Amino acid sequence: MPDLIITLAANAGDPASHDRVDKALAAAAPAEASLSRSRLAKLIAQGAVTGPAGPLTDVKARAVPGAYVVSLGEPQPIEAQPQPIALVIPYEDEDLIVIDKPAGMVVHPAPGTLDGTLVNALLAHCGDSLSGIGGAARPGIVHRIDKDTSGLLVVAKTDRAHHALARQFEDHSAARRYLALAHGVIDAADPRLRGVPGVSFEPGGVLKIATRLARHPTDRQRQAVHAERGRHAVTRAVMLESFGAPPAAMLVECRLETGRTHQIRVHLAHCGLGLIGDPVYGGARKASTRALGPAADAVAAFPRQALHAAHLGFAHPADLRWLAFDSPLPADMAKLLASLRGTAATGVAFPDH
């Protein structure tokens, strides 16, 4: 595996931030590298990390600005095994397969989750007809959604399809729209919301959130908004319905211009509009019984982030015809929405607009 270069900014050695080199490197490492502080400590002890002044051996050494080279060595492959797990398949052909993933299913194996994943199910369903680009752990995986987010994703069966689909996600020509139930409401007249960095409004009451996202400085399992570092991320959100008197919750449509880790969850939380049920970014916000009545109990009891990948569109890699798929809200979100509306639970299709 190629060496990883991590650059620490000029304030990386500030005692008020990350003074220890292992902690500083863990905070600055890209999320896709999956470098924990404990793993970096081991690599430093093994002499596998070189700093601006030469090889490091002391994990307690103070971080200094500059480039650090981390020699990761060869990765240990995770060999996923086929498992006969039922899948909801809206579309399949010789090039690709579209999956409607249930909440609770991990997309690909990783340390701590070696089976029961979407990849395990795909290997049983597709056999050897998956793209090899993702390697042993991620065959065919072009993009993913979080374990506790439900909804649509596309998987490549051929390397040609994988390359073509990946380009569409990279250049933002693929269409992805999500439905979410969130605390608070979007109000263009709200001065607090207009004062949030990176937030603006577009015609039609569209909330645009444009920030940089990077790993949280102290919690590597989380992403956070940063002023200068990280990757550019843009989310647009439109409130479809509001609930409560005064309004205290909403059904919101989110459209991704970019697709960063946890992007919708982080961006809405950044605006004070955290997703109902989100254990990581939802904060300590509680539903108001005064505003929502009995529905406040359903909001408080919802066990996952109320987020559903409801629409997916892309050009077919073989003939460029546009394919588009819609997924109704899963039963748990439909029930929560019904409680907020005060009506019987029904499946809700993605709004046609």
Side-chain angles (χ1 to χ4, degrees), residues 93-235:
D93 62 26
E94 62 184 8
D95 293 296
L96 58 89
I97 180 170
V98 175
I99 304 295
D100 196 340
K101 185 187 83 68
M105 175 180 276
V106 175
V107 170
H108 56 74
T113 308
L114 298 179
D115 56 20
T117 72
L118 175 61
V119 164
N120 296 112
L122 286 168
L123 288 171
H125 177 81
C126 300
D128 294 330
S129 62
L130 287 175
S131 169
I133 291 176
R138 307 184 186 191
I141 300 301
V142 179
H143 66 120
R144 64 184 182 88
I145 54 180
D146 296 337
K147 171 186 175 183
D148 289 325
T149 297
S150 53
L152 297 164
L153 72 163
V154 60
V155 176
K157 286 186 174 183
T158 67
D159 288 354
R160 178 190 65 175
H162 201 133
H163 283 297
L165 290 168
R167 280 196 300 272
Q168 293 183 56
F169 284 96
E170 290 170 1
D171 65 20
H172 318 313
S173 60
R176 286 175 288 174
R177 301 200 293 266
Y178 290 72
L179 290 178
L181 291 163
H183 294 283
V185 295
I186 294 173
D187 181 359
D190 182 354
R192 181 205 60 81
L193 191 56
R194 284 188 173 275
V196 176
V199 167
S200 61
F201 279 89
E202 297 179 336
V206 177
L207 175 69
K208 179 181 178 181
I209 312 162
T211 72
R212 291 185 177 275
L213 295 183
R215 185 178 293 175
H216 192 279
T218 59
D219 184 351
R220 63 175 302 275
Q221 301 300 322
R222 300 175 61 189
Q223 299 293 305
V225 169
H226 289 271
E228 297 179 354
R229 67 183 181 90
R231 304 178 72 186
H232 179 62
V234 178
T235 304

Side-chain angles (χ1 to χ4, degrees), residues 100 161 239 309 325 341:
D100 196 340
M239 184 171 69
F325 305 93
R341 286 173 168 167

Side-chain angles (χ1 to χ4, degrees), residues 214-272:
R215 185 178 293 175
H216 192 279
T218 59
D219 184 351
R220 63 175 302 275
Q221 301 300 322
R222 300 175 61 189
Q223 299 293 305
V225 169
H226 289 271
E228 297 179 354
R229 67 183 181 90
R231 304 178 72 186
H232 179 62
V234 178
T235 304
R236 288 177 172 83
V238 178
M239 184 171 69
L240 305 177
E241 296 182 55
S242 63
F243 312 103
M250 64 175 171
L251 173 66
V252 59
E253 170 194 315
C254 297
R255 301 191 179 198
L256 293 180
E257 181 174 312
T258 57
R260 312 306 183 200
T261 301
H262 299 173
Q263 179 175 317
I264 291 173
R265 298 164 65 189
V266 178
H267 268 170
L268 289 184
H270 176 63
C271 297

Side-chain angles (χ1 to χ4, degrees), residues 90 100 152 177 308-312 324-328 349-351:
D100 196 340
L152 297 164
R177 301 200 293 266
H308 178 64
H311 177 85
L312 176 65
F325 305 93
D326 295 291
S327 169
F350 192 87

